[in-house]
Amino acid sequence: MFGYYLDLALRSLKRSPGLTALMVLAIGFGVAASMTTWSVFRAVSGDPIPWKSSKLFVPQLDIWGPDSRKKGGYNDIADAFDYTDAVALMRDHRGKLQSAMYQVSPSVVPADAAKHPINVTGHAVFSEFFPMVDAPFKYGSGWSAQDDQNRSRVLVLSDKLNQKLFGDVNSVGRSVDIEGKDYRVVGVVAHWNPQPRYYDVVNTGGFVGDGAEDVFLPFNTAIDVGMPNNGNTNCNAIPKESGFVGLQHSTCVWISYMVELDNAAQVESYRNYLEGYMRQQQQAGRFNWPPKYELRVLPDWLSFEHVVPDDTKVSLLVALGLLIVCLVNTAGLLLAKFLRRSGEIGVRRALGAPRNAVYAQFLTEAGMVGAAGGVLGLLLTGVGVACVGWVLPKDIAALAKLDVSLLAMTLLVAVVATVLAGLYPTWRASRVQPAWQLKSN
Amino acid sequence: MELRPILSTLRRHKVTSWLLVLEIALTCAIVCNAVFMIGQRLHRMNLPSGVAEHQLLQIQLGGIGPKSDADAQTETDLAALRQIPGVRQATMTNQLPFSFGSDSNGTLMLDPHQQQGTAQVAQYMGGVGLLATLGTRLIAGRDFEPGEYVDFDAAVQALHDDNTRGLPQDLIITRGLAERLWPGESALGKTVYFGKALPFRVIGVVANLARPKNHWDGVEYSTLWPIRMTSAEGASYILRTAPQDRQAVLKAAVAKLKQLDPNRVVLVKRTYDEARHEYFANDRAMAGILVGVIAALLIVTALGIVGLASFWVGQRRRTIGVRRALGATRGDILRYFLTENFLLAGFGIALGMVLAYGMNLFLMVHYELPRLPGIYFPVGAAVLWIIGQCAVLGPALRAANVPPVVATRSV
């Protein structure tokens, strides 16, 4: 029976090619525009580590006090850490896994003396950083907690820098000269470029282009050799001493912190710990204001830091509006088309076809229009996503990729939406009174 | 033209008419808001920077290891850069208008005992020739004298010690800031306070100098300080040259800096135009997407009108024939369909205006957009009416060509 309806639908669509083309065009356009905008939205708002984001937390401590908020005219407490507190929290080690980190940009001196030194980007982190963020290793692994303690000169390279320095080989155990000092390679991270750069949005703003980070060094080692911070620094008072050491002794915030907590009990106890830590600091005379802290789970943290640009949300709304307009349009056209065939429906009904048969026939036809619109929409979505490249900044556009799920979604949205739009016209068609139609003809 | 027959016909096609009205209303609402958002972006992208945009080059260096002789090195570099043919001026500065990266801001106070700052202002620091190199126009007072410049290190130390020695005594502000602080008065000779109530005298006013970012605080609230910085402190070399010489000078300058000390890494080398282009990339992208969406919307709506009008014309062939046989001219028939579309579009536009206003309210609450100016309503209405008339013209002409003889045929 379905085959018969398909045949009927095809005949009907062929009979008025103009109207059919209009409907297909409208659906194709609407679906493509919505999907293109949505793909951008999905790319920038996507959870970078969905299997674990509910276990990753970012603490914040009120180390500047209410006066600085009043003076600065804002309500939020510092979103990064000063050196003192970052080190204290690492020492107390109350989470399951945790790491303080800061952004560095050292120069790597190639072994080949003829080559120029190259500037690389990276992060100074603790050993627990790698298991916490599930960094994928190609060779070797992260360093040990012992290396953190001993302030060892070890490092983890990106796949890209490894290729550049050593060629595509397992370089674990070899050494790399960074600013005149030798570091032993303990691991090479396979291609890993999470977007947004969730572990340190304070310094990266979330999006850092298509380049993965080149190096990871032990935090303590980087501090020891005086490798300066390459990220943001915010101060509420000018440091007493100049330079990087001055920064470490200051109340300026420049260190990101992340902690993994596996269940509600751990979260609760970590909250108590933060509260206790702040109280203890207050008693020690560091602060003269009541303890205040925040502990945000990663998705909340990303939205708090406005990592997802408002722009994409607005454009998503606009795209949704466009889809609705297209559906209203399709509904109107389908209605026109179906009612034109009142005579045909009358004959079928008079010959004994039940209302359900009319439903089946016309919804099949609507579905076919939807499928055709979907195929056109697929093509146009492809064009749209390709065009996103020359309108959007590269780092965001690179994320708006055409993948199987997007294509399937486009087709599905097109068919479902058209069938929905066809419901009312079909209902109207099924109400046609056979007697009237037969009489007037 | 008699409207009653048109209205009574529409009443018989209630649902299709309503769908068309709804479509036009939604289109109207979305297009009004989208055009408004595009306008916002374009306004931002065209904000004046106050510098000689097409004449500036920026080079930022990163050193390897600590540098003790950064001051001497910077002086040597600048002297060499000024020798390059085509370079008119050269200096160092900590930031440029509309640029990425960290920016330097300070809290300005008008009274030393104030609890809360008067304004957050951008702090531009640079060496001798800062104004001339940036091409920022002085409109009152004077530029800094060569003897007034101090070193960055000394200034930071002085700020920390709360000691005015080692700090400059004077500064230059923008006209926008002057008007904000002392409306209708001359700013020259007035005193402002920074840090823990350290006084600074205003000796000059420049026409404009936009902030690096933080536009929401007031784009034009900037101050200029005679403070010499070095690459080690994150400052960039700024060169001014003729627009056509930029690429050649940039290449020569980078080569010269590498030659003076090969152990340095070039972090940034670009023309100011490139920097500005990059800064507004997001706004351009958003405007681009919105233009695409508007075009798609208008096309879809026009297609819808064509489709429904064609359907109606087909359905009413007989009636049209009868009217023609009874003496109606082609013009009458054409006018009938145009008027019908005008009416439907009118209903749609009226509903659309209400929707547009509601949508704008929603965006104002959730996305901090300003209120939609009134001018968008009549313009949006006119555009939709014109599109509607154009879309219906084809089917209407076909209707006008229906011969009277149709009336005598049975379908």
Side-chain angles (χ1 to χ4, degrees):
Chain A
M1 214 51 192
F2 185 65
Y4 173 61
Y5 293 142
L6 274 183
D7 186 46
L8 273 183
L10 212 58
R11 277 163 198 269
S12 145
L13 294 178
K14 269 194 211 144
R15 213 175 311 138
S16 46
L19 209 55
T20 309
L22 279 178
M23 284 190 285
V24 171
L25 269 179
I27 295 167
F29 251 133
V31 171
S34 319
M35 285 296 134
T36 305
T37 325
W38 185 74
S39 75
V40 175
F41 173 73
R42 180 186 65 163
V44 294
S45 68
D47 191 335
I49 177 165
W51 61 95
K52 211 174 178 180
S53 57
S54 63
K55 293 180 181 174
L56 298 177
F57 290 81
V58 175
Q60 287 173 266
L61 301 179
D62 183 19
I63 58 164
W64 290 348
D67 282 350
S68 78
R69 286 198 286 282
K70 199 172 142 200
K71 198 171 170 204
Y74 47 81
N75 292 319
D76 307 320
I77 59 178
D79 60 359
F81 275 73
D82 62 344
Y83 182 74
T84 315
D85 294 306
V87 168
L89 258 64
M90 279 312 295
R91 196 186 306 119
D92 290 350
H93 204 269
R94 294 299 177 88
K96 184 186 169 209
L97 297 170
Q98 58 248 290
S99 177
M101 57 198 110
Y102 73 97
Q103 198 176 329
V104 294
S105 178
S107 306
V108 171
V109 186
D112 182 354
K115 283 187 183 158
H116 278 299
I118 41 178
N119 235 96
V120 299
T121 60
H123 262 80
V125 301
F126 282 87
S127 58
E128 288 177 1
F129 171 83
F130 301 102
M132 181 169 69
V133 301
D134 281 352
F137 278 90
K138 187 173 182 184
Y139 305 119
S141 64
W143 53 83
S144 66
Q146 199 56 46
D147 287 323
D148 279 335
Q149 289 275 320
N150 298 349
R151 303 170 175 247
S152 315
R153 294 239 172 89
V154 290
L155 56 60
V156 166
L157 292 177
S158 73
D159 195 22
K160 201 173 117 208
L161 186 60
N162 185 47
Q163 293 212 5
K164 207 164 173 179
L165 294 177
F166 302 109
D168 193 12
V169 296
N170 184 347
S171 60
V172 169
R174 296 173 74 164
S175 80
V176 175
D177 179 344
I178 292 184
E179 296 181 347
K181 295 185 176 74
D182 279 339
Y183 291 74
R184 184 168 48 86
V185 178
V186 294
V188 175
V189 176
H191 180 73
W192 182 56
N193 187 24
Q195 304 277 0
R197 185 82 22 114
Y198 59 94
Y199 49 81
D200 190 4
V201 288
V202 171
N203 279 315
T204 60
F207 295 97
V208 283
D210 28 47
E213 292 197 278
D214 301 308
V215 290
F216 292 95
L217 306 159
F219 186 95
N220 290 333
T221 312
I223 294 285
D224 264 5
V225 301
M227 192 175 288
N229 170 36
N230 185 48
N232 290 332
T233 303
N234 282 315
C235 304
N236 74 329
I238 292 160
K240 288 193 183 70
E241 305 147 62
S242 64
F244 189 50
V245 173
L247 185 64
Q248 288 163 39
H249 296 167
S250 73
T251 57
C252 297
V253 300
W254 51 283
I255 298 174
S256 295
Y257 201 94
M258 182 168 268
V259 52
E260 178 177 337
L261 304 167
D262 274 348
N263 52 46
Q266 280 184 24
V267 175
E268 194 49 41
S269 97
Y270 201 79
R271 278 184 193 284
N272 290 337
Y273 158 67
L274 288 177
E275 169 98 27
Y277 174 79
M278 288 303 281
R279 181 151 292 135
Q280 177 200 333
Q281 296 295 313
Q282 184 196 6
Q283 277 157 8
R286 242 180 98 203
F287 312 130
N288 59 358
W289 51 83
K292 188 173 160 74
Y293 69 93
E294 291 282 352
L295 184 64
R296 289 187 161 92
V297 69
L298 183 60
D300 291 353
W301 171 248
L302 294 180
S303 101
F304 171 74
E305 290 281 305
H306 297 289
V307 169
V308 181
D310 270 354
D311 282 358
T312 39
K313 285 190 217 160
V314 173
S315 60
L316 180 74
L317 287 179
V318 171
L320 263 181
L322 177 59
L323 186 63
I324 292 174
V325 168
C326 288
L327 289 184
V328 172
N329 189 4
T330 311
L333 294 175
L334 282 175
L335 189 61
K337 197 159 168 25
F338 290 177
L339 289 187
R340 208 173 182 176
R341 285 154 57 197
S342 299
E344 176 197 322
I345 301 166
V347 173
R348 277 200 70 199
R349 295 274 284 121
L351 290 176
R355 286 220 166 105
N356 282 343
V358 179
Y359 264 109
Q361 182 196 339
F362 283 81
L363 284 183
T364 307
E365 192 170 328
M368 258 182 93
V369 172
V375 171
L376 179 68
L378 277 186
L379 293 177
L380 289 175
T381 306
V383 174
V385 169
C387 287
V388 160
W390 52 261
V391 253
L392 274 187
K394 269 201 204 72
D395 48 346
I396 293 183
L399 302 171
K401 286 192 201 86
L402 208 53
D403 56 19
V404 178
S405 75
L406 182 69
L407 294 180
M409 183 93 172
T410 307
L411 212 54
L412 191 72
V413 166
V415 175
V416 169
T418 319
V419 169
L420 281 180
L423 278 181
Y424 177 76
T426 308
W427 180 77
R428 280 288 298 269
S430 75
R431 295 283 119 182
V432 164
Q433 294 294 325
W436 286 12
Q437 299 303 326
L438 295 175
K439 221 179 342 182
S440 72
N441 274 4
Chain B
M1 184 107 202
E2 179 77 78
L3 290 184
R4 235 175 322 149
I6 298 182
L7 287 175
S8 68
T9 316
L10 286 181
R11 215 167 291 140
R12 282 205 282 134
H13 300 279
K14 234 182 269 161
V15 177
T16 25
S17 310
W18 267 112
L19 283 174
L20 194 60
V21 167
L22 193 63
E23 185 181 345
I24 293 174
L26 282 171
T27 306
C28 178
I30 297 172
V31 168
C32 276
N33 278 289
V35 170
F36 175 54
M37 285 191 271
I38 293 175
Q40 293 276 306
R41 305 287 148 167
L42 293 184
H43 172 72
R44 254 171 67 92
M45 282 158 62
N46 291 324
L47 284 173
S49 62
V51 301
E53 299 202 352
H54 308 310
Q55 303 177 20
L56 295 186
L57 300 171
Q58 179 191 14
I59 302 173
Q60 194 181 359
L61 301 176
I64 291 175
K67 268 274 181 286
S68 48
D69 53 350
D71 288 331
Q73 176 79 61
T74 304
E75 285 309 314
T76 317
D77 287 346
L78 281 174
L81 289 173
R82 288 186 185 117
Q83 296 297 315
I84 294 174
V87 172
R88 293 181 186 165
Q89 268 104 18
T91 190
M92 298 213 74
T93 182
N94 60 333
Q95 54 195 5
L96 283 170
F98 308 133
S99 54
F100 281 116
S102 56
D103 59 336
S104 169
N105 292 285
T107 307
L108 178 149
M109 294 180 292
L110 283 177
D111 184 300
H113 307 298
Q114 238 166 283
Q115 283 297 311
Q116 218 165 350
T118 305
Q120 279 282 336
V121 298
Q123 294 174 309
Y124 283 88
M125 303 173 204
V128 178
L130 178 61
L131 257 65
T133 312
L134 290 177
T136 303
R137 196 161 52 86
L138 198 65
I139 53 166
R142 62 170 180 88
D143 193 357
F144 301 116
E145 306 276 349
E148 289 173 340
Y149 288 86
V150 299
D151 283 329
F152 181 73
D153 273 344
V156 169
Q157 194 59 47
L159 258 184
H160 178 257
D161 298 343
D162 219 5
N163 180 353
T164 44
R165 269 201 314 174
L167 275 175
Q169 313 296 310
D170 306 320
L171 55 83
I172 294 175
I173 66 175
T174 56
R175 174 161 51 191
L177 181 59
E179 277 164 10
R180 155 88 170 71
L181 298 177
W182 304 284
E185 292 175 50
S186 164
L188 293 182
K190 296 252 173 35
T191 305
V192 292
Y193 300 86
F194 280 89
K196 287 188 189 138
L198 294 173
F200 298 90
R201 198 160 45 102
V202 176
I203 57 157
V205 177
V206 291
N208 187 20
L209 182 60
R211 311 176 65 134
K213 42 190 186 185
N214 292 344
H215 300 189
W216 50 91
D217 287 344
V219 180
E220 70 278 31
Y221 296 170
S222 303
T223 53
L224 289 132
W225 303 67
I227 296 177
R228 276 188 297 263
M229 295 183 71
T230 66
S231 305
E233 290 141 3
S236 305
Y237 291 101
I238 304 295
L239 308 179
R240 189 167 175 193
T241 176
Q244 68 275 13
D245 296 342
R246 280 179 292 180
Q247 291 310 329
V249 169
L250 189 59
K251 223 172 139 194
V254 170
K256 177 57 89 180
L257 290 169
K258 284 261 184 189
Q259 181 202 327
L260 286 172
D261 182 356
N263 268 343
R264 292 190 290 191
V265 185
V266 176
L267 298 178
V268 174
K269 52 168 177 179
R270 58 186 179 186
T271 64
Y272 181 76
D273 282 339
E274 285 162 9
R276 185 179 170 131
H277 187 84
E278 195 186 327
Y279 184 77
F280 287 110
N282 263 323
D283 295 285
R284 214 170 9 257
M286 185 68 180
I289 286 191
L290 286 174
V291 166
V293 167
I294 290 176
L297 255 182
L298 293 179
I299 291 173
V300 165
T301 305
L303 290 180
I305 294 174
V306 171
L308 276 188
S310 307
F311 167 65
W312 279 337
V313 169
Q315 209 181 28
R316 295 181 207 157
R317 269 176 77 84
R318 190 106 179 259
T319 331
I320 297 166
V322 171
R323 280 197 64 202
R324 291 277 282 125
L326 291 176
T329 62
R330 279 161 195 260
D332 287 333
I333 305 294
L334 188 64
R335 263 197 302 282
Y336 176 89
F337 280 98
L338 290 181
T339 314
E340 182 184 70
N341 177 267
F342 190 81
L343 276 180
L344 283 176
F347 289 134
I349 289 163
L351 188 61
M353 296 292 158
V354 179
L355 273 180
Y357 184 73
M359 225 181 258
N360 177 236
L361 278 186
F362 176 82
L363 292 176
M364 275 167 65
V365 172
H366 292 274
Y367 301 105
E368 292 167 14
L369 235 68
R371 183 176 294 284
L372 195 63
I375 181 70
Y376 281 85
F377 293 103
V379 172
V383 168
L384 276 171
W385 256 314
I386 292 169
I387 287 179
Q389 296 287 295
C390 291
V392 85
L393 198 60
L397 281 172
R398 233 176 307 138
N401 281 334
V402 171
V405 72
V406 167
T408 61
R409 292 187 199 142
S410 65
V411 187

